[in-house]
């Protein structure tokens, strides 16, 4: 595997389900990100992890819970979601060394909440 | 706060023509980076080109070039000799340079331009 991978690619869940999105980067990067892309809206940053520590949480509802066990893996745990949470969830990674470093994205997980 | 504006929701361009996608930005930061990404219908966000705020030369990557006008706060993407495979959404994005030399910062994205290349 190369680059940034995400699983599953598609997910349909009910509002009472619990599921997790997985992201893995094979680029040797030290920072990882979750973004949400809803229809007709710009991408929204959800979470940032640098060196496995969360550095930013853009007021995301608690029904989204991130986990970064090591610098290569990032999870987004989902529970009791709402239909408006249906979106494309994109993971990204970058090597942070004090510059505006490029973020590389995975293919995304398309989530539908029924 | 940072803001990205892309004023062209959609564009139709003939194959082999050059196309310019507009992007203006607003920031109070002195050091920042500007990025363009391509998103095909499959959903993956593909990095195209990067321009640093202190770079004096316009960035180029193959058929892509970035027309950076710092005083006007614009960072337009130029695609030369367009191809059918260039049909996609194109996003302009920016982030500040972390002044402390470490940590990470998210990207601020524009709403995108839907480019359609016609044969």
């Amino acid at each position: 595997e190369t680059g940034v991978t995400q699983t599953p690619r598609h997910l349909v869940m009910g509002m009472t389900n619990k599921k997790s999105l997985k992201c893995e980067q094979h680029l040797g990067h030290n920072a990882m990100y979750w973004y949400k892309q809803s229809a007709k809206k710009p991408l929204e940053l959800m979470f940032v992890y640098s060196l496995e520590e969360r550095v930013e949480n853009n007021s995301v509802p608690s029904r989204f819970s991130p986990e970064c066990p090591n610098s290569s893996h990032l999870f987004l745990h989902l529970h009791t979601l709402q239909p408006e949470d249906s979106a494309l969830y994109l993971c990204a990674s970058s090597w942070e060394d004090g510059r505006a470093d490029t973020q590389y994205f995975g293919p995304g997980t398309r989530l539908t909440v029924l | 706060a940072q803001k990205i504006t892309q004023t062209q929701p959609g564009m139709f361009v003939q194959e082999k023509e050059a196309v310019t996608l507009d992007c203006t930005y607003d920031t109070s930061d002195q050091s920042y980076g500007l990025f363009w990404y391509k998103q095909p219908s499959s959903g993956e966000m593909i990095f195209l080109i990067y321009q640093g705020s202190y770079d004096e030369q316009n960035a180029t990557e193959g058929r892509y070039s970035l027309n950076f006008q710092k005083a006007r706060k614009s960072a337009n993407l130029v695609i030369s000799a367009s191809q059918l495979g260039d049909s996609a959404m194109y996003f302009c994005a920016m982030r500040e340079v972390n002044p402390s030399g470490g940590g990470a910062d998210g990207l601020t994205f524009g709403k995108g331009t839907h480019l359609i290349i016609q044969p």
Side-chain angles (χ1 to χ4, degrees):
Chain A
E1 292 279 13
T2 58
V4 182
T5 59
Q6 290 186 243
T7 55
R9 295 293 309 276
H10 299 272
L11 179 62
V12 179
M13 58 187 288
M15 290 190 287
T16 58
N17 291 158
K18 289 184 180 181
K19 297 287 185 183
S20 294
L21 309 184
K22 178 182 176 182
C23 175
E24 184 172 0
Q25 60 94 2
H26 309 268
L27 300 169
H29 288 164
N30 60 3
M32 297 186 76
Y33 312 78
W34 280 116
Y35 289 86
K36 175 184 178 183
Q37 187 178 27
S38 305
K40 301 181 180 179
K41 290 177 69 175
L43 272 82
E44 302 170 80
L45 178 68
M46 299 177 72
F47 300 102
V48 179
Y49 276 85
S50 178
L51 299 174
E52 302 151 43
E53 290 189 9
R54 190 160 73 190
V55 298
E56 188 166 345
N57 172 357
N58 279 6
S59 302
V60 178
S62 59
R63 58 185 182 268
F64 295 92
S65 174
E67 178 190 2
C68 188
N70 55 60
S71 60
S72 298
H73 294 86
L74 183 65
F75 295 89
L76 187 63
H77 304 298
L78 317 171
H79 63 97
T80 59
L81 294 190
Q82 304 298 311
E84 60 265 28
D85 297 323
S86 298
L88 180 67
Y89 289 84
L90 290 160
C91 172
S93 70
S94 66
W95 175 258
E96 294 300 312
D97 62 357
R99 301 178 301 170
D101 296 286
T102 300
Q103 295 180 17
Y104 294 88
F105 286 79
T109 295
R110 196 165 295 278
L111 173 67
T112 302
V113 182
L114 302 176
Chain B
Q2 302 167 350
K3 185 179 179 181
I4 296 283
T5 301
Q6 295 181 253
T7 57
Q8 305 153 310
M11 287 185 71
F12 289 87
V13 174
Q14 286 298 119
E15 189 180 9
K16 299 181 184 177
E17 289 184 352
V19 57
T20 297
L21 304 181
D22 295 339
C23 173
T24 58
Y25 61 91
D26 190 20
T27 181
S28 57
D29 299 316
Q30 297 301 310
S31 299
Y32 50 88
L34 295 156
F35 304 82
W36 277 92
Y37 287 86
K38 172 185 178 181
Q39 188 178 40
S41 56
S42 59
E44 184 173 3
M45 198 70 70
I46 302 168
F47 166 69
L48 296 178
I49 196 167
Y50 162 81
Q51 178 85 41
S53 59
Y54 288 111
D55 293 340
E56 295 185 355
Q57 302 265 6
N58 284 345
T60 60
E61 287 286 349
R63 293 188 298 115
Y64 304 109
S65 61
L66 201 152
N67 184 0
F68 181 45
Q69 298 188 41
K70 193 170 182 178
R72 294 185 177 182
K73 293 189 174 179
S74 74
N76 298 341
L77 177 70
V78 179
I79 306 174
S80 62
S82 58
Q83 303 170 357
L84 296 178
D86 293 332
S87 295
M89 285 292 295
Y90 287 81
F91 292 93
C92 180
M94 73 177 300
R95 58 176 294 191
E96 68 171 356
V97 173
N98 193 307
S100 65
D105 200 11
L107 288 163
T108 299
F109 281 85
K111 292 186 177 181
T113 295
H114 189 189
L115 176 64
I116 297 174
I117 306 300
Q118 297 175 310

